[in-house]
Amino acid sequence: MARSVSRAGAAPTPPRRRLRRSDWAAAALAAIREGGVGAVVIEGLAERLGATKGSFYWHFKDRDELVEAALERWERQETDDVIERLRAVADPGERLRRLFEMAFGDHPGGDTNVTLLADAANPLVSPALRRVTQRRLDFLTGAFAELGLTPRTARHHALLAYTAYVGYFELRRAAPSATPTGPESRDYLDHLLRVVVPARPLPPHRGNQPES
């Protein structure tokens, strides 16, 4: 791993502020969410973090390594950790309900997905995007299969659910007023689950109910 140096041949100098590698990765991920991979600019992140470029080079050899670390963080937080938490939910209908509530309620996660899809051709982004998409679809397919669907039909339901998720946040970014908010968003989520999940009663909504 590269380290910053003050002059040729000198020993590495540690950053003036004690930042961790994860601090830089988190800041880079926030920049990606706001403006795509192109928004990851070392000087700008250093200013945001109140650090120097020397702090960056203490942890990363170059910008590409930072982008990869940010994408690893995104993959872990928005996919690996979510799947791990939901594995404990035995009932597949309840598992889908909780997944949809998390996915459609987590605007930062959805917005990050939109910006990364816009950068899908970027060679740094495409491998992570493929892995995440495949894992999410496999998890959805498994839940639908547990509801008694054939593997082929379960995959179709998984694709329908995932495209609804992607499309929702694409629309929210392009035309925010077109997407539901408040109690209406809960009604939309209930309707989406009724459409996507094959005929069986859904578990009750876990959030606050709209006032009558």
Side-chain angles (χ1 to χ4, degrees):
M1 183 182 298
R3 297 288 189 272
S4 61
V5 294
S6 57
R7 60 183 184 275
T13 55
R16 288 184 295 179
R17 182 184 172 194
R18 290 181 178 275
L19 290 176
R20 298 170 298 177
R21 182 181 173 92
S22 60
D23 294 322
W24 282 95
L29 183 56
I32 290 172
R33 182 182 303 122
E34 295 163 7
V37 173
V40 179
V41 179
I42 306 307
E43 290 82 357
L45 295 181
E47 182 176 355
R48 176 182 293 189
L49 290 167
T52 66
K53 289 179 67 176
S55 169
F56 167 76
Y57 287 110
W58 182 259
H59 296 292
F60 300 94
K61 66 180 181 181
D62 55 26
R63 176 182 178 275
D64 285 0
E65 187 178 1
L66 173 61
V67 171
E68 289 172 350
L71 294 174
E72 288 170 5
R73 183 182 183 90
W74 168 70
E75 184 172 357
R76 182 178 65 257
Q77 292 182 337
E78 302 295 338
T79 301
D80 297 346
D81 292 351
V82 170
I83 289 175
E84 188 62 30
R85 289 198 300 271
L86 291 176
R87 285 193 195 281
V89 181
D91 180 76
E94 174 65 12
R95 198 182 312 141
L96 287 167
R97 159 71 74 182
R98 293 191 190 184
L99 175 60
F100 272 59
E101 287 178 344
M102 292 168 65
F104 284 87
D106 180 16
H107 289 174
D111 289 339
T112 305
N113 210 71
V114 169
T115 58
L116 289 175
L117 285 169
D119 284 325
N122 187 306
L124 294 174
V125 173
S126 56
L129 199 55
R130 283 196 301 269
R131 284 194 308 272
V132 164
T133 301
Q134 190 63 53
R135 287 206 66 199
R136 291 175 175 179
L137 286 173
D138 288 346
F139 184 75
L140 284 165
T141 300
F144 284 117
E146 287 184 52
L147 291 173
L149 300 181
T150 65
R152 180 182 179 85
T153 303
R155 192 66 168 184
H156 288 167
H157 279 261
L159 284 168
L160 178 61
Y162 196 65
T163 53
Y165 166 71
V166 171
Y168 179 88
F169 284 99
E170 289 277 10
L171 180 62
R172 200 179 78 93
R173 172 160 293 197
S177 63
T179 53
T181 58
E184 187 182 354
S185 67
R186 295 195 291 270
D187 292 342
Y188 167 76
L189 180 59
D190 287 339
H191 178 75
L192 178 61
L193 281 162
R194 284 194 295 270
V195 170
V196 172
V197 179
R200 65 165 277 177
L202 287 171
H205 195 282
R206 298 170 61 85
N208 295 326
Q209 297 298 320
E211 297 180 358
S212 58

Coordinates of all heavy atoms in Angstrom, one line a residue, residues 91-147:
D91 N -40.7 -16.8 7.3 CA -41.8 -16.8 6.4 C -41.4 -16.0 5.1 O -41.1 -14.8 5.2 CB -43.0 -16.1 7.0 CG -44.2 -16.1 6.1 OD1 -44.9 -17.1 5.8 OD2 -44.5 -15.0 5.5
P92 N -41.5 -16.5 3.9 CA -41.1 -15.8 2.7 C -41.9 -14.6 2.4 O -41.4 -13.6 1.9 CB -41.2 -16.8 1.6 CG -42.2 -17.9 2.1 CD -42.0 -17.9 3.6
G93 N -43.2 -14.6 2.7 CA -44.1 -13.4 2.5 C -43.7 -12.3 3.4 O -43.6 -11.1 2.9
E94 N -43.4 -12.6 4.7 CA -42.9 -11.5 5.6 C -41.5 -11.1 5.2 O -41.2 -9.9 5.3 CB -42.9 -12.1 7.0 CG -42.3 -11.2 8.0 CD -43.1 -9.9 8.3 OE1 -44.3 -9.8 7.8 OE2 -42.6 -9.0 8.9
R95 N -40.7 -12.0 4.7 CA -39.4 -11.6 4.2 C -39.5 -10.6 3.1 O -38.7 -9.6 3.1 CB -38.6 -12.8 3.8 CG -37.1 -12.6 3.7 CD -36.4 -13.9 3.2 NE -36.9 -15.1 4.0 CZ -37.2 -16.3 3.4 NH1 -36.9 -16.5 2.1 NH2 -37.6 -17.3 4.1
L96 N -40.4 -10.8 2.2 CA -40.5 -9.9 1.0 C -41.1 -8.6 1.5 O -40.7 -7.5 1.0 CB -41.4 -10.6 0.0 CG -40.8 -11.7 -0.9 CD1 -41.9 -12.4 -1.6 CD2 -39.8 -11.1 -1.8
R97 N -42.0 -8.6 2.4 CA -42.6 -7.4 2.9 C -41.5 -6.5 3.6 O -41.4 -5.4 3.3 CB -43.7 -7.7 4.0 CG -44.0 -6.6 5.0 CD -44.7 -5.5 4.3 NE -46.1 -5.8 4.1 CZ -47.0 -5.0 3.5 NH1 -46.6 -3.8 3.1 NH2 -48.2 -5.4 3.2
R98 N -40.7 -7.1 4.4 CA -39.6 -6.4 5.1 C -38.6 -5.9 4.1 O -38.1 -4.7 4.2 CB -38.9 -7.2 6.1 CG -39.8 -7.6 7.3 CD -39.0 -8.2 8.4 NE -39.9 -8.8 9.5 CZ -39.4 -9.3 10.6 NH1 -38.1 -9.3 10.8 NH2 -40.3 -9.8 11.5
L99 N -38.3 -6.7 3.1 CA -37.3 -6.3 2.1 C -37.8 -5.1 1.3 O -37.1 -4.1 1.1 CB -37.0 -7.4 1.1 CG -36.1 -7.1 -0.1 CD1 -34.8 -6.6 0.4 CD2 -36.0 -8.3 -1.0
F100 N -39.1 -5.1 0.9 CA -39.6 -4.0 0.2 C -39.7 -2.7 1.0 O -39.5 -1.6 0.5 CB -41.0 -4.3 -0.4 CG -41.0 -5.0 -1.7 CD1 -40.3 -6.2 -1.9 CD2 -41.6 -4.5 -2.8 CE1 -40.2 -6.8 -3.1 CE2 -41.6 -5.1 -4.1 CZ -40.8 -6.3 -4.2
E101 N -40.1 -2.9 2.3 CA -40.1 -1.7 3.2 C -38.7 -1.1 3.3 O -38.6 0.1 3.3 CB -40.7 -2.1 4.5 CG -42.2 -2.4 4.5 CD -42.7 -2.8 5.9 OE1 -41.9 -3.2 6.7 OE2 -43.9 -2.8 6.0
M102 N -37.7 -1.9 3.4 CA -36.3 -1.4 3.5 C -35.9 -0.8 2.2 O -35.3 0.3 2.2 CB -35.4 -2.6 3.9 CG -35.6 -3.1 5.3 SD -34.7 -4.7 5.5 CE -33.0 -4.1 5.4
A103 N -36.2 -1.4 1.1 CA -35.7 -1.0 -0.2 C -36.3 0.4 -0.6 O -35.7 1.3 -1.0 CB -35.9 -2.0 -1.3
F104 N -37.7 0.4 -0.5 CA -38.4 1.6 -0.9 C -38.3 2.7 0.2 O -38.5 3.9 -0.2 CB -39.8 1.3 -1.3 CG -39.9 0.6 -2.6 CD1 -39.8 -0.8 -2.7 CD2 -40.1 1.3 -3.7 CE1 -39.9 -1.4 -3.9 CE2 -40.2 0.7 -5.0 CZ -40.1 -0.7 -5.0
G105 N -38.0 2.4 1.4 CA -37.8 3.4 2.4 C -36.4 4.0 2.5 O -36.2 5.0 3.1
D106 N -35.4 3.3 1.9 CA -34.1 3.7 2.0 C -33.7 4.6 0.8 O -33.1 4.1 -0.2 CB -33.1 2.5 2.1 CG -31.7 2.9 2.2 OD1 -31.4 4.1 2.5 OD2 -30.8 2.0 2.0
H107 N -34.1 5.8 0.8 CA -33.8 6.7 -0.4 C -32.3 6.8 -0.7 O -32.0 6.7 -1.9 CB -34.4 8.1 -0.2 CG -35.9 8.0 -0.2 ND1 -36.7 9.1 0.1 CD2 -36.8 7.0 -0.5 CE1 -38.0 8.8 -0.1 NE2 -38.1 7.5 -0.4
P108 N -31.4 6.9 0.3 CA -30.0 7.0 -0.1 C -29.5 5.7 -0.9 O -28.8 5.8 -1.9 CB -29.3 7.1 1.2 CG -30.3 7.7 2.1 CD -31.6 7.2 1.7
G109 N -30.0 4.5 -0.5 CA -29.6 3.3 -1.2 C -30.2 3.3 -2.6 O -29.5 2.9 -3.5
G110 N -31.4 3.7 -2.8 CA -32.0 3.7 -4.1 C -31.4 4.8 -5.0 O -31.1 4.5 -6.2
D111 N -31.0 5.9 -4.4 CA -30.4 6.9 -5.2 C -29.0 6.5 -5.7 O -28.5 6.8 -6.8 CB -30.3 8.2 -4.4 CG -31.6 8.9 -4.2 OD1 -32.5 8.6 -5.0 OD2 -31.8 9.7 -3.3
T112 N -28.3 5.8 -4.8 CA -26.9 5.3 -5.2 C -27.1 4.3 -6.3 O -26.3 4.3 -7.2 CB -26.3 4.6 -4.0 OG1 -26.2 5.5 -2.9 CG2 -24.9 4.2 -4.3
N113 N -28.1 3.5 -6.3 CA -28.3 2.5 -7.3 C -28.5 3.2 -8.7 O -28.0 2.8 -9.7 CB -29.5 1.7 -7.0 CG -29.5 0.3 -7.6 OD1 -28.7 -0.6 -7.1 ND2 -30.2 0.0 -8.6
V114 N -29.3 4.3 -8.6 CA -29.5 5.0 -9.9 C -28.2 5.6 -10.5 O -28.0 5.5 -11.7 CB -30.6 6.2 -9.6 CG1 -30.6 7.1 -10.8 CG2 -31.9 5.6 -9.3
T115 N -27.4 6.2 -9.6 CA -26.2 6.8 -10.1 C -25.2 5.8 -10.7 O -24.5 6.0 -11.7 CB -25.5 7.7 -9.1 OG1 -25.2 6.9 -7.9 CG2 -26.4 8.8 -8.6
L116 N -25.2 4.6 -10.0 CA -24.3 3.6 -10.5 C -24.8 3.0 -11.8 O -24.0 2.6 -12.6 CB -24.1 2.5 -9.4 CG -23.3 2.9 -8.2 CD1 -23.4 1.8 -7.1 CD2 -21.9 3.2 -8.5
L117 N -26.1 2.8 -11.9 CA -26.6 2.4 -13.2 C -26.2 3.3 -14.4 O -26.0 2.8 -15.5 CB -28.1 2.2 -13.1 CG -28.6 1.0 -12.4 CD1 -30.1 1.1 -12.1 CD2 -28.3 -0.3 -13.1
A118 N -26.2 4.6 -14.1 CA -25.8 5.6 -15.1 C -24.3 5.4 -15.5 O -23.9 5.7 -16.6 CB -26.0 7.0 -14.6
D119 N -23.5 4.8 -14.6 CA -22.1 4.6 -14.8 C -21.8 3.1 -15.1 O -20.7 2.6 -14.9 CB -21.3 5.0 -13.6 CG -21.1 6.5 -13.5 OD1 -21.0 7.2 -14.5 OD2 -21.1 7.1 -12.4
A120 N -22.8 2.4 -15.5 CA -22.7 0.9 -15.7 C -21.6 0.5 -16.6 O -21.0 -0.6 -16.5 CB -24.0 0.3 -16.2
A121 N -21.2 1.4 -17.6 CA -20.2 1.1 -18.6 C -18.8 1.3 -18.0 O -17.8 0.8 -18.6 CB -20.4 1.9 -19.8
N122 N -18.7 1.9 -16.9 CA -17.4 2.2 -16.2 C -16.8 0.9 -15.8 O -17.4 0.1 -15.1 CB -17.6 3.1 -15.0 CG -16.3 3.6 -14.4 OD1 -15.4 2.8 -14.1 ND2 -16.1 4.9 -14.3
P123 N -15.6 0.6 -16.2 CA -15.0 -0.7 -15.8 C -14.8 -0.9 -14.3 O -14.6 -2.1 -13.9 CB -13.6 -0.7 -16.5 CG -13.3 0.7 -16.8 CD -14.6 1.4 -17.0
L124 N -14.8 0.2 -13.5 CA -14.7 0.0 -12.1 C -16.1 -0.3 -11.5 O -16.2 -1.0 -10.5 CB -14.2 1.3 -11.4 CG -12.8 1.7 -11.7 CD1 -12.5 3.1 -11.1 CD2 -11.8 0.7 -11.2
V125 N -17.1 0.1 -12.1 CA -18.5 0.0 -11.6 C -19.1 -1.4 -12.1 O -19.8 -2.0 -11.3 CB -19.4 1.1 -12.1 CG1 -20.8 0.9 -11.7 CG2 -18.9 2.4 -11.5
S126 N -18.9 -1.7 -13.3 CA -19.6 -2.8 -13.9 C -19.5 -4.2 -13.1 O -20.5 -4.9 -12.9 CB -19.3 -3.0 -15.4 OG -17.9 -3.2 -15.5
P127 N -18.3 -4.6 -12.7 CA -18.2 -5.8 -11.9 C -19.1 -5.8 -10.6 O -19.8 -6.8 -10.3 CB -16.7 -6.0 -11.6 CG -16.0 -5.1 -12.6 CD -17.0 -4.0 -12.8
A128 N -19.0 -4.7 -9.9 CA -19.8 -4.6 -8.6 C -21.2 -4.6 -8.9 O -22.0 -5.3 -8.2 CB -19.3 -3.4 -7.9
L129 N -21.6 -3.9 -10.0 CA -23.1 -3.8 -10.3 C -23.6 -5.1 -10.7 O -24.7 -5.5 -10.4 CB -23.2 -2.7 -11.4 CG -24.6 -2.1 -11.7 CD1 -25.1 -1.5 -10.4 CD2 -24.5 -1.1 -12.8
R130 N -22.8 -5.9 -11.5 CA -23.3 -7.2 -11.9 C -23.4 -8.1 -10.7 O -24.4 -8.9 -10.6 CB -22.3 -7.8 -12.9 CG -22.4 -7.3 -14.3 CD -21.7 -8.2 -15.3 NE -20.3 -8.3 -15.0 CZ -19.4 -7.5 -15.5 NH1 -19.7 -6.5 -16.3 NH2 -18.1 -7.7 -15.2
R131 N -22.5 -8.1 -9.8 CA -22.5 -9.0 -8.6 C -23.7 -8.6 -7.7 O -24.5 -9.5 -7.3 CB -21.3 -8.8 -7.8 CG -20.0 -9.5 -8.3 CD -19.0 -9.6 -7.2 NE -18.7 -8.3 -6.6 CZ -17.8 -7.5 -7.0 NH1 -17.1 -7.7 -8.1 NH2 -17.5 -6.3 -6.4
V132 N -23.9 -7.4 -7.5 CA -25.0 -6.9 -6.6 C -26.4 -7.3 -7.3 O -27.3 -7.8 -6.6 CB -24.9 -5.4 -6.3 CG1 -26.2 -4.9 -5.8 CG2 -23.8 -5.1 -5.4
T133 N -26.5 -7.0 -8.5 CA -27.8 -7.3 -9.2 C -28.1 -8.8 -9.2 O -29.2 -9.2 -8.9 CB -27.7 -6.8 -10.7 OG1 -27.5 -5.4 -10.7 CG2 -29.0 -7.1 -11.4
Q134 N -27.1 -9.6 -9.4 CA -27.3 -11.1 -9.4 C -27.6 -11.6 -8.0 O -28.6 -12.4 -7.9 CB -26.0 -11.8 -9.9 CG -26.2 -13.3 -10.2 CD -27.2 -13.5 -11.3 OE1 -27.0 -13.0 -12.4 NE2 -28.2 -14.3 -11.0
R135 N -27.0 -11.1 -7.0 CA -27.3 -11.5 -5.6 C -28.7 -11.1 -5.2 O -29.4 -11.9 -4.6 CB -26.3 -10.9 -4.7 CG -24.9 -11.6 -4.7 CD -24.2 -11.5 -3.4 NE -24.8 -12.2 -2.4 CZ -24.6 -12.0 -1.1 NH1 -23.8 -11.1 -0.6 NH2 -25.3 -12.8 -0.2
R136 N -29.1 -9.9 -5.6 CA -30.4 -9.4 -5.2 C -31.5 -10.2 -6.0 O -32.5 -10.6 -5.4 CB -30.5 -7.9 -5.6 CG -29.7 -7.0 -4.7 CD -29.8 -5.6 -5.1 NE -29.1 -4.7 -4.2 CZ -29.0 -3.4 -4.4 NH1 -29.5 -2.8 -5.4 NH2 -28.3 -2.7 -3.5
L137 N -31.3 -10.5 -7.2 CA -32.2 -11.3 -8.0 C -32.3 -12.7 -7.5 O -33.4 -13.3 -7.4 CB -31.9 -11.3 -9.5 CG -32.2 -10.0 -10.2 CD1 -31.6 -10.1 -11.6 CD2 -33.7 -9.7 -10.3
D138 N -31.2 -13.3 -7.1 CA -31.2 -14.7 -6.6 C -31.9 -14.7 -5.2 O -32.7 -15.7 -5.0 CB -29.7 -15.1 -6.4 CG -29.0 -15.5 -7.7 OD1 -29.7 -15.5 -8.7 OD2 -27.8 -15.6 -7.7
F139 N -31.7 -13.7 -4.4 CA -32.4 -13.7 -3.1 C -33.9 -13.5 -3.3 O -34.7 -14.2 -2.7 CB -31.9 -12.5 -2.3 CG -32.5 -12.4 -0.9 CD1 -32.0 -13.3 0.1 CD2 -33.4 -11.5 -0.6 CE1 -32.6 -13.2 1.4 CE2 -33.9 -11.4 0.7 CZ -33.5 -12.3 1.7
L140 N -34.3 -12.7 -4.2 CA -35.8 -12.5 -4.5 C -36.3 -13.8 -5.1 O -37.4 -14.2 -4.7 CB -36.0 -11.4 -5.5 CG -35.9 -9.9 -4.9 CD1 -35.7 -8.9 -6.1 CD2 -37.1 -9.6 -4.1
T141 N -35.6 -14.4 -6.0 CA -36.1 -15.6 -6.6 C -36.3 -16.7 -5.6 O -37.3 -17.5 -5.6 CB -35.1 -16.1 -7.7 OG1 -34.9 -15.1 -8.7 CG2 -35.5 -17.4 -8.3
G142 N -35.3 -16.8 -4.6 CA -35.5 -17.8 -3.6 C -36.7 -17.6 -2.7 O -37.4 -18.6 -2.4
A143 N -37.0 -16.3 -2.4 CA -38.2 -16.1 -1.6 C -39.5 -16.4 -2.4 O -40.4 -17.0 -1.8 CB -38.2 -14.6 -1.2
F144 N -39.5 -16.1 -3.6 CA -40.7 -16.4 -4.4 C -40.9 -17.9 -4.6 O -42.0 -18.5 -4.6 CB -40.7 -15.7 -5.8 CG -41.0 -14.2 -5.7 CD1 -40.1 -13.3 -6.1 CD2 -42.3 -13.8 -5.3 CE1 -40.4 -11.9 -6.0 CE2 -42.6 -12.4 -5.2 CZ -41.6 -11.5 -5.6
A145 N -39.7 -18.6 -4.8 CA -39.8 -20.1 -4.9 C -40.3 -20.7 -3.6 O -41.1 -21.7 -3.7 CB -38.4 -20.6 -5.2
E146 N -40.0 -20.1 -2.5 CA -40.5 -20.7 -1.2 C -42.0 -20.5 -1.1 O -42.7 -21.2 -0.3 CB -39.8 -20.0 0.0 CG -38.4 -20.5 0.2 CD -37.8 -19.8 1.4 OE1 -38.4 -19.9 2.5 OE2 -36.7 -19.3 1.3
L147 N -42.6 -19.6 -1.9 CA -44.0 -19.4 -1.9 C -44.7 -20.4 -2.8 O -46.0 -20.4 -2.9 CB -44.4 -18.0 -2.4 CG -44.0 -16.8 -1.5 CD1 -44.2 -15.5 -2.2 CD2 -44.8 -16.9 -0.2

